[in-house]
Amino acid sequence: MAESESKNKEFPYTPANFEAVRKRLKALTGINLADSKDSMVYSRISRRVRQLKLGGFEAYLKFVDANTSEHQEFINALTTNLTSFFREKHHFDELRDILSQNRFTGQGRSVSIWCAASSTGEEPYSIAMTAVEAFKSFDIPVKIIASDIDSNVLDKAKAGVFKIEQLDAFDKSFKKRFFYRGKGAQAGLVKVVPELQRLISFQRLNLMDASWDLPKNIDIVFCRNVMIYFDKSTQLNILEKITKHMHDKSLYFAGHSENFSHAKNIIKPLGKTIYQLNGGRQF
């Protein structure tokens, strides 16, 4: 960062400030911010500095250290939430086939699905819509848990309200089945139908926490485009914990850019960025 660039900013901002932010974020979440994120850090943390009427980054970081209640605001400011409905569509095609084949149902049991990074809700609602399509009913043996570290995006996900243009790729009957169209002051927005919302329970969860309030023997885990933010040792640690909530036949859906060649003793690839527990793994 050039010295002249820092002088032209509203608040003093040095490479040391950037490193201090990165260090605290990694300690709280395990996330590694790339060197290229210095401008993003300035932009997002500056808003919080301004809101709290603090003198600058050093004062804000001292405030973070002294007030655990600020940790969530700090995390919310720096986590990136890029998502869309049916992102990486091949995974939802696979999910539909799995559910249609009743691979995990039987003897009155439900299929349990965990969406580990729900963001603003597009992914868990896509999972829910896929399940409804597979079973051809809203009354289905599927339980979906959607979690995220960012409390703000979780609130948006729970509300289930989206911009109508996010549905442009859907046909008219699909939209009508799963969304209500806003009118008046809500024109331009859509809301997920309550029958779909009831299939999902939302909860805040930090993948770096020592333990998680999740059931055992989850059938399907969607943890896509999350591990790219962690170093390899942190990835292994998180994978170890995730697999403790899976069973031998459970499936793990990863993002297209994620590679787990360093975790062969934990999970094995089945193709199309879908994994299963390594048979020799012992817990």
Side-chain angles (χ1 to χ4, degrees):
M1 182 191 310
E3 185 178 351
S4 59
E5 289 178 1
S6 181
K7 287 181 179 178
N8 291 330
K9 295 182 182 297
E10 179 182 0
F11 303 108
Y13 182 56
T14 67
N17 295 147
F18 176 53
E19 287 302 322
V21 169
R22 286 210 292 190
K23 182 178 179 181
R24 284 164 177 79
L25 185 66
K26 183 168 184 181
L28 290 170
T29 68
I31 293 173
N32 283 310
L33 280 180
D35 293 342
S36 60
K37 300 295 184 181
D38 61 331
S39 294
M40 181 205 79
V41 165
Y42 178 82
S43 173
R44 296 187 181 183
I45 295 299
S46 290
R47 294 174 202 158
R48 195 65 188 147
V49 173
R50 207 174 294 117
Q51 288 170 350
L52 294 170
K53 296 181 170 58
L54 296 172
F57 275 67
E58 290 185 11
Y60 176 67
L61 290 171
K62 287 179 181 178
F63 182 80
V64 170
D65 292 341
N67 297 273
T68 56
S69 59
E70 181 62 19
H71 289 180
Q72 187 60 55
E73 294 291 345
F74 178 75
I75 292 168
N76 290 355
L78 294 171
T79 47
T80 299
N81 298 285
L82 175 63
T83 187
S84 61
F85 288 108
F86 296 98
R87 186 182 182 192
E88 298 181 47
K89 185 178 179 296
H90 65 282
H91 278 162
F92 297 98
D93 294 337
E94 289 288 328
L95 177 63
R96 185 190 61 247
D97 292 344
I98 289 164
L99 296 176
S100 297
Q101 295 163 11
N102 295 308
R103 196 180 300 182
F104 293 109
T105 53
Q107 298 181 340
R109 76 183 297 274
S110 296
V111 182
S112 56
I113 304 175
W114 173 31
C115 174
S118 70
S119 187
T120 47
E122 286 88 339
E123 182 168 289
Y125 287 122
S126 296
I127 292 170
M129 287 186 279
T130 300
V132 169
E133 292 279 284
F135 287 100
K136 298 179 173 58
S137 171
F138 283 102
D139 183 17
I140 58 177
V142 176
K143 296 179 180 178
I144 302 166
I145 300 169
S147 67
D148 203 279
I149 192 173
D150 187 329
S151 58
N152 288 338
V153 297
L154 272 177
D155 288 341
K156 292 179 181 179
K158 289 176 188 176
V161 176
F162 302 95
K163 294 179 180 178
I164 195 167
E165 56 263 31
Q166 290 179 260
L167 311 185
D168 284 348
F170 304 155
D171 62 40
K172 188 175 180 179
S173 62
F174 190 92
K175 295 177 189 177
K176 188 174 181 180
R177 186 175 191 188
F178 294 115
F179 298 90
Y180 291 136
R181 186 166 184 165
K183 298 178 181 179
Q186 301 301 314
L189 300 174
V190 293
K191 182 175 174 60
V192 174
V193 298
E195 295 91 340
L196 198 69
Q197 286 183 298
R198 282 196 288 268
L199 298 175
I200 307 171
S201 61
F202 292 93
Q203 67 181 73
R204 185 186 172 278
L205 186 146
N206 184 343
L207 291 173
M208 291 300 292
D209 287 346
S211 61
W212 306 325
D213 182 20
L214 292 173
K216 299 292 185 182
N217 297 319
I218 294 172
D219 297 306
I220 299 170
V221 175
F222 272 69
C223 188
R224 307 187 309 162
N225 306 303
V226 177
M227 294 295 192
I228 55 174
Y229 296 106
F230 305 116
D231 58 34
K232 281 187 167 55
S233 63
T234 304
Q235 288 179 9
L236 291 174
N237 177 266
I238 292 172
L239 273 175
E240 289 269 12
K241 289 192 290 183
I242 288 175
T243 54
K244 288 178 182 178
H245 291 271
M246 297 168 64
H247 55 79
D248 289 345
K249 300 298 182 182
S250 298
L251 299 174
Y252 179 101
F253 287 67
H256 70 280
S257 61
E258 294 170 323
N259 183 296
F260 296 112
S261 58
H262 60 295
K264 291 178 181 177
N265 65 323
I266 302 176
I267 54 176
K268 59 184 179 183
L270 299 179
K272 298 183 179 179
T273 53
I274 301 173
Y275 296 79
Q276 198 166 44
L277 288 187
N278 186 305
R281 190 69 182 154
Q282 299 293 321
F283 294 108

